[in-house]
């Protein structure tokens, strides 16, 4: 029988033997973070994906993140540790919908949140993540932007970049959108001294009440630099746990107990072990044509 510690030791041994790099999104659990070579937000994972030296990359996160690695490093073997882990928002729009939007909005620059499928990226001009969206959109030559599919992130970006004409279509994150203004009022009442830090996937009326709006890494960096003692966290509740581990002298409270992404939580340490053993996970396979067309969209984001 394994303990967490013996399983982690076995994973460290296997990844070295098999020349595997483990990338873990910020929402992965603490036991997975401890065996990962890199942890961070979607933007950080993309940068890392492009420069990994190992032959195989194991992604602990959701499918679009593993697809991004494959697109940026097509010669590598890319594994998704939990094949069932998808981001529901990534499936909210299809290629036909974008084609018909382009007819309605000809000459608009199509900006896709990175939480989209590889196929959808083939018909978009540039990707953004929550940490890069404001800077990238501000720097685009075009004034007219079609932003898909997260209307909450899009609305927050529109406020930061009022000089652009941004049309928002058509969805959002079902996990973050559950958080309400009532949740904010109740958390503020219970913790009046705490700073409120939220992810821009939250509804615009929730983001409007926050002390800071930023990506998963942005939220963690804010805490690192802050001299505050208490924080209310408005994103997936795994971040509350990570912050509590990193800063035991400070207190962290979830904005909503419901902010749990079952897809992000699908991956277990045992999945990582099975994947490294070669009897679990899924190898990401994408058609060359899809990778070529989608690559431009991601590379433009990284070069912006
Ligand atoms: P980050 O880019 O902030 O890590 O967000 C990814 C995500 O899926 C948030 O729900
Ligand atoms: Fe997708 Fe939302 Fe889960 Fe992030 S939290 S992976 S956007 S469903």
């Amino acid at each position: 029988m394994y303990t967490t510690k013996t399983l982690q030791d076995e994973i460290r041994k296997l990844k070295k033997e098999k020349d595997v790099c483990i990338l873990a999104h910020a929402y992965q659990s603490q036991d997975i973070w401890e065996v990962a070579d890199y942890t961070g937000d979607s933007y950080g994972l993309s940068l890392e994906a492009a420069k990994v030296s190992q032959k195989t990359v194991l992604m602990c996160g959701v499918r679009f993140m593993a697809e991004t690695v494959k697109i940026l490093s097509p010669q590598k073997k890319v594994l998704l540790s939990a094949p069932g882990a998808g981001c529901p928002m990534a499936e909210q729009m299809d290629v036909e919908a974008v084609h018909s939007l382009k007819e309605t909005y000809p000459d608009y620059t199509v900006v896709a949140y990175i939480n989209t499928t590889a196929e959808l990226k083939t018909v978009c001009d540039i990707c953004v993540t929550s940490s890069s969206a404001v800077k990238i959109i501000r720097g685009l030559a075009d004034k007219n932007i079609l932003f898909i599919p997260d209307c909450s992130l899009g609305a927050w970006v529109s406020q930061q970049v009022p000089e652009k004409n941004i049309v928002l279509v058509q969805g959002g994150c079902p996990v973050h959108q559950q958080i309400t203004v009532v949740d904010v009022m109740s958390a503020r009442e219970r913790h009046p001294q705490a700073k409120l830090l939220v992810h821009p996937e939250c509804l615009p009326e929730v983001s409007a009440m926050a002390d800071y709006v930023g990506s998963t890494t942005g939220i963690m960096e804010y805490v690192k630099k802050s001299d505050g003692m208490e924080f209310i966290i408005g994103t997936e509740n795994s971040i509350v746990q990570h912050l509590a581990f990193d800063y035991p002298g400070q207190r962290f409270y979830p904005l909503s107990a419901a902010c749990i992404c079952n897809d992000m939580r699908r991956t277990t340490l045992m999945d990582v072990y099975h994947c490294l053993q070669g009897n679990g996970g899924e190898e990401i396979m994408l058609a060359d044509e899809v990778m070529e067309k989608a690559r431009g969209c991601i590379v433009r984001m990284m070069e912006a």
Side-chain angles (χ1 to χ4, degrees):
M1 199 180 78
Y2 282 116
T3 64
T4 301
K5 162 101 181 48
T6 54
L7 190 54
Q8 286 177 322
D9 289 344
E10 198 58 34
I11 288 171
R12 289 189 188 101
K13 201 172 100 205
L14 276 171
K15 71 171 183 171
K16 206 167 171 189
E17 266 169 32
K18 299 196 168 186
D19 196 29
V20 179
C21 170
I22 300 180
L23 300 181
H25 182 259
Y27 290 157
Q28 296 299 294
S29 53
Q30 190 73 23
D31 54 356
I32 292 177
W33 268 36
E34 289 168 6
V35 294
D37 296 282
Y38 176 85
T39 60
D41 65 8
S42 311
Y43 189 69
L45 288 172
S46 310
L47 297 184
E48 211 54 35
K51 59 180 192 211
V52 160
S53 60
Q54 289 90 336
K55 283 199 288 273
T56 302
V57 180
L58 171 52
M59 172 58 75
C60 301
V62 291
R63 182 169 295 270
F64 79 81
M65 295 175 176
E67 286 183 349
T68 303
V69 179
K70 184 69 188 170
I71 291 164
L72 289 171
S73 293
Q75 73 291 356
K76 292 198 192 291
K77 183 172 180 178
V78 178
L79 301 163
L80 177 62
S81 49
C87 166
M89 180 162 40
E91 311 286 337
Q92 282 170 346
M93 253 178 128
D94 58 22
V95 166
E96 286 68 39
V98 176
H99 281 315
S100 88
L101 280 167
K102 282 179 167 181
E103 278 172 28
T104 315
Y105 299 100
D107 308 325
Y108 274 54
T109 297
V110 182
V111 179
Y113 192 21
I114 198 161
N115 296 40
T116 41
T117 60
E119 216 183 340
L120 202 76
K121 289 182 178 86
T122 64
V123 289
C124 298
D125 297 308
I126 187 165
C127 269
V128 294
T129 67
S130 58
S131 55
S132 61
V134 169
K135 179 179 165 253
I136 289 176
I137 291 179
R138 192 174 279 142
L140 288 174
D142 201 350
K143 182 177 162 59
N144 295 323
I145 314 285
L146 184 62
F147 187 89
I148 59 166
D150 186 347
C151 294
S152 295
L153 172 65
W156 179 70
V157 174
S158 300
Q159 273 178 11
Q160 316 303 308
V161 197
E163 66 274 24
K164 299 282 181 189
N165 170 36
I166 305 179
V167 173
L168 308 175
V169 194
Q170 71 183 19
C173 165
V175 176
H176 286 80
Q177 288 189 338
Q178 293 176 86
I179 301 176
T180 64
V181 167
V182 174
D183 291 324
V184 176
M185 291 190 307
S186 134
R188 287 254 197 230
E189 204 175 301
R190 277 177 285 126
H191 311 291
Q193 305 302 326
K195 295 269 186 221
L196 174 63
L197 320 181
V198 311
H199 195 280
E201 287 174 13
C202 289
L203 292 168
E205 58 268 34
V206 169
S207 292
M209 296 169 89
D211 296 298
Y212 172 77
V213 181
S215 77
T216 49
T217 297
I219 289 173
M220 288 187 278
E221 284 296 312
Y222 181 97
V223 172
K224 192 176 176 182
K225 290 184 193 138
S226 169
D227 50 14
M229 293 306 289
E230 293 182 89
F231 302 89
I232 302 161
I233 305 298
T235 192
E236 218 282 343
N237 287 335
S238 52
I239 299 298
V240 177
Q241 195 199 6
H242 291 307
L243 287 167
F245 266 86
D246 287 349
Y247 306 98
Q250 282 133 296
R251 301 303 295 267
F252 302 94
Y253 313 107
L255 175 53
S256 159
C259 200
I260 289 174
C261 176
N262 290 322
D263 284 274
M264 278 289 184
R265 293 199 177 201
R266 227 173 242 259
T267 310
T268 64
L269 194 63
M270 198 49 93
D271 289 331
V272 177
Y273 175 61
H274 287 314
C275 208
L276 285 169
Q277 275 190 321
N279 62 7
E282 179 186 322
E283 180 171 358
I284 299 294
M285 300 291 214
L286 294 168
D288 288 344
E289 199 194 330
V290 169
M291 285 199 280
E292 267 156 45
K293 285 193 188 157
R295 192 172 302 123
C297 188
I298 301 171
V299 168
R300 280 192 280 280
M301 165 183 83
M302 292 163 65
E303 288 174 351

